[in-house]
Every structure is written in structure tokens, then in C-alpha cells.
Amino acid sequence: MALQRELGLDALVDVLKAAGEPTRMRLVALLAAGDLTVTDLTEILGQSQPRISRHLKLLAEVELIDRYQEGAWAYFRLRQDGARVGLVRAMLASASADDAVLARDAARLTTLKRARSEKAQAYFSRNAAGWDELRRLHVSERDVEAKLREMVGDEPVESLLDLGTGTGRILQLFEGLYRRGIGVDASRDMLAVARSNLDRAGITKASIRHGDIFNLPLDGQAFDLVTIHQVLHFLEEPEAAIAEAARMLTPGGRLVIIDFAPHGLEHLRDEHAHARLGFSHQAMADWLAKAGLVLEKTTDLSPEGADDGKLTVTIWLARDRRAVNENETPRPRVQAGGV
């Protein structure tokens, strides 16, 4: 196999030793299906926490799994990249679909995900009334998403980062575009909703992280596309969040911001915790330029009845200037997108 030829003998033996044990192979199979905690894994496998933790440590030492902290919890998942993981995935693909142990693990994982989903849905239901009220104030999400897909295009990207991921909708919308996706949110309740939605959609190439949008728990210059969807108006310092998002971009990577144009609906401050009442084209252009980005496109989407207290949604698309010819100064194209 080509994957095997990319590994030296010592590395190949290390991977086989680590994965070639029944419990660890079961763990690998489970972690290939998404993010799980030690508690999740002990529940599914019926083994003690110290034993599971020891097995996870061995898998991490040979770079087969990733570990990341979310408050007091640690999540694990199978790595996305590398010849080592490729070899293990090939091993998993060779497993019999009728294997009783793996089938039982998969059934228990399904039960666990169902419980997650029910808990997330309960939270969503408790808060849906407020979101529905706000949604009626602006252009439909369907129209926003259609324009967003048009502006981003259909050229595949290696990695996508969605900041303030909320329900994980952006990770679902662009599921066919990216090879690796990460959604970050500060609300653990919303993270539960996002994980549930990704589970239900069968998306395993995206993961969800708890994090601060001003101080992301990720390496910089690692993402080709970063999105910030309806988040900045909640922030007292949106400029700082844009700068942090720009830090995440690879040279030439793109940042897409979806938010409200300036408006005068003061009640949104008290009723929906909006810190900012929309953003002008000039303010956004200044912040993007200060963050080292070149604004390429701007689109305004105005719903019917925009003069009657309705909100206009604006989409800004900018690119890391390190890939722009210094002799050229692209002029942003502003499109009117009234619906």
C-alpha cells in the first residue's frame, strides 16, 4: 500500500503495536465517528476510566488521535491527516461488518448520540422563540445561505474554521467544500446543539471546540476559509475578533463575515443582548484592512419591507493580502441584493 510505503519500519511497527490490541482498535473505530470523552468511551466499552485513559495515551503517543480540552472535559477524536492514520483507517475498512463486538459498540454509540441529541434539542426548544422572533426581522436564512455559497464559490478548500459556530449550520452548509472543519463557540449549550446536528447529518470530518473568539485555542495560519456568521454584533470589540480570525488564515486565505447593516432597533440591545447595532461598509473595510486583509466583495441583502424596521444582512468577503500582488489594489465590489 502507498500509505505503508510512506512510513519507515519503526513508525510502521509503532502504529501496528498501538492499534493492534482489541480495546485500542475498538477505540479507534469509535473515535473515527466523532468527538468523544473518556466518560463516553467508558460507558460504551464498559471498562474503567483509568484503563481507557491508558489506552488513549498510547494512541496519542503514536499520533493517531487528537485530544483537546473543553472546560473540565477532554475530548478525543481520530486524527484527520497523515500516513499513520491512513493505515489505521485502511485497517478499519477491512473489518467485517458482521463483527459482533464492533456492531455492539456502534449500537451503544448510536444510543449515546441519541441522548446527546435529545438534550441539545431541549435546550434549542427553550431558546427557539427568541431566535424565531429575530429571524422574522431580516431576510430569510435560505436567501442568505444561497448568496453566501455563491460568493464563496465551489472550489474545494483544505480547512474551514467557523467562529461562533452556534448550531453548526455553516459546517453543514459547506460540508462538500472542505476536507477538515472546526467550529468554535463559547457556549457549551450551543456546542451540544452543534454536535447533535453534525451527528444527525453524518458529518465526521468536522469537529466542535469550546473557545474564546478573542483567544482561539488553535494554531495560526492553518485555515483556508474562516467564517463569522451573525456573531460580531454580540461583541463589544468586534475589531479584535476580526484580527484574531485573520491570524488563523493561511496566506491568501479568505474570511467571510455575515452580519447586520447599521440599523436603529434599540430594543435588540436589551432583548437579544446585541452590543452593536450593525456595521457600515466603511467600518468593516477599515477593520479588515487593519487586520491585513483585502476586501474583495460586499453584498447587501434587504428583505421586503426594509423601511418598516426590517434588518439588512451584509456579507463581506476578504482575502489575506499576502497572496495579493502588491502592485494591484483590488476595489471591493458592492452588490445590492434586495430580496
Side-chain angles (χ1 to χ4, degrees):
M1 291 178 62
L3 287 170
Q4 291 177 339
R5 289 198 296 270
E6 293 177 11
L7 294 172
L9 179 61
D10 289 345
L12 182 59
V13 171
D14 286 344
V15 171
L16 293 175
K17 282 183 177 178
E21 190 276 339
T23 296
R24 291 197 288 276
M25 183 55 74
R26 292 168 69 188
L27 288 171
V28 166
L30 290 167
L31 295 175
D35 303 1
L36 295 168
T37 66
V38 172
T39 301
D40 294 334
L41 294 167
T42 57
E43 181 179 333
I44 294 170
L45 270 65
Q47 298 184 17
S48 69
Q49 183 169 326
R51 185 176 183 187
I52 294 296
S53 295
R54 181 174 61 83
H55 285 307
L56 291 171
K57 181 174 182 293
L58 292 172
L59 292 172
E61 286 176 350
V62 295
E63 302 175 357
L64 290 179
I65 62 173
D66 285 323
R67 177 190 185 278
Y68 61 91
Q69 199 74 24
E70 185 177 301
W73 295 354
Y75 278 88
F76 298 84
R77 68 177 287 122
L78 189 65
R79 284 197 172 188
Q80 297 283 326
D81 305 312
R84 295 170 183 243
V85 175
L87 174 58
V88 171
R89 288 188 184 276
M91 294 166 63
L92 287 174
S94 301
S96 170
D98 298 326
D99 183 87
V101 174
L102 293 178
R104 184 170 64 249
D105 288 349
R108 289 175 176 172
L109 177 60
T110 299
T111 300
L112 183 145
K113 287 185 174 182
R114 186 182 301 117
R116 260 190 199 172
S117 178
E118 291 171 353
K119 181 178 179 181
Q121 187 58 45
Y123 169 80
F124 190 85
S125 297
R126 290 195 302 271
N127 293 275
W131 292 328
D132 287 343
E133 177 186 346
L134 183 59
R135 193 175 295 117
R136 285 192 292 271
L137 292 175
H138 61 78
V139 66
S140 74
E141 290 296 327
R142 180 183 59 189
D143 294 326
V144 173
E145 290 178 358
K147 179 57 68 174
L148 180 57
R149 289 184 66 95
E150 177 187 321
M151 291 177 68
V152 170
D154 55 9
E155 183 177 347
V157 298
E158 180 71 13
S159 52
L160 164 69
L161 173 62
D162 183 36
L163 300 179
T165 196
T167 64
R169 177 57 190 161
I170 294 296
L171 294 172
Q172 297 175 70
L173 180 66
F174 288 117
E175 190 269 337
L177 196 68
Y178 60 85
R179 197 177 70 82
R180 175 177 68 99
I182 294 179
V184 176
D185 204 287
S187 166
R188 290 190 173 85
D189 286 324
M190 292 310 299
L191 292 177
V193 173
R195 285 197 179 97
S196 172
N197 288 339
L198 293 181
D199 286 345
R200 188 161 49 248
I203 298 174
T204 59
K205 61 182 179 179
S207 62
I208 305 298
R209 307 283 180 87
H210 180 263
D212 180 355
I213 196 171
F214 299 110
N215 185 22
L216 294 167
L218 301 165
D219 293 331
Q221 301 187 40
F223 296 91
D224 305 299
L225 180 63
V226 177
T227 55
I228 310 178
H229 182 215
Q230 296 290 12
V231 173
L232 293 184
H233 60 258
F234 290 110
L235 307 179
E236 294 290 347
E237 298 181 90
E239 179 182 2
I242 290 172
E244 181 69 351
R247 187 177 71 84
M248 295 291 108
L249 289 172
T250 58
R254 294 178 294 169
L255 170 64
V256 183
I257 297 171
I258 306 95
D259 219 296
F260 297 126
H263 62 85
L265 302 186
E266 287 287 344
H267 70 276
L268 295 182
R269 296 188 191 274
D270 296 326
E271 296 176 14
H272 294 280
H274 288 204
R276 309 294 290 264
L277 298 183
F279 304 95
S280 69
H281 291 163
Q282 187 61 56
M284 191 64 71
D286 290 345
W287 289 339
L288 292 168
K290 188 174 180 181
L293 306 178
V294 176
L295 180 59
E296 292 190 338
K297 297 179 184 178
T298 303
T299 296
D300 291 322
L301 298 170
S302 301
E304 294 181 3
D307 294 333
D308 300 322
K310 300 282 186 171
L311 301 176
T312 292
V313 174
T314 303
I315 305 176
W316 296 269
L317 187 149
R319 188 180 295 272
D320 183 282
R321 72 168 69 250
R322 287 171 293 179
V324 175
N325 188 322
E326 294 297 333
N327 296 322
E328 299 178 1
T329 305
R331 300 177 66 182
R333 300 196 297 271
V334 179
Q335 305 175 21
V339 176

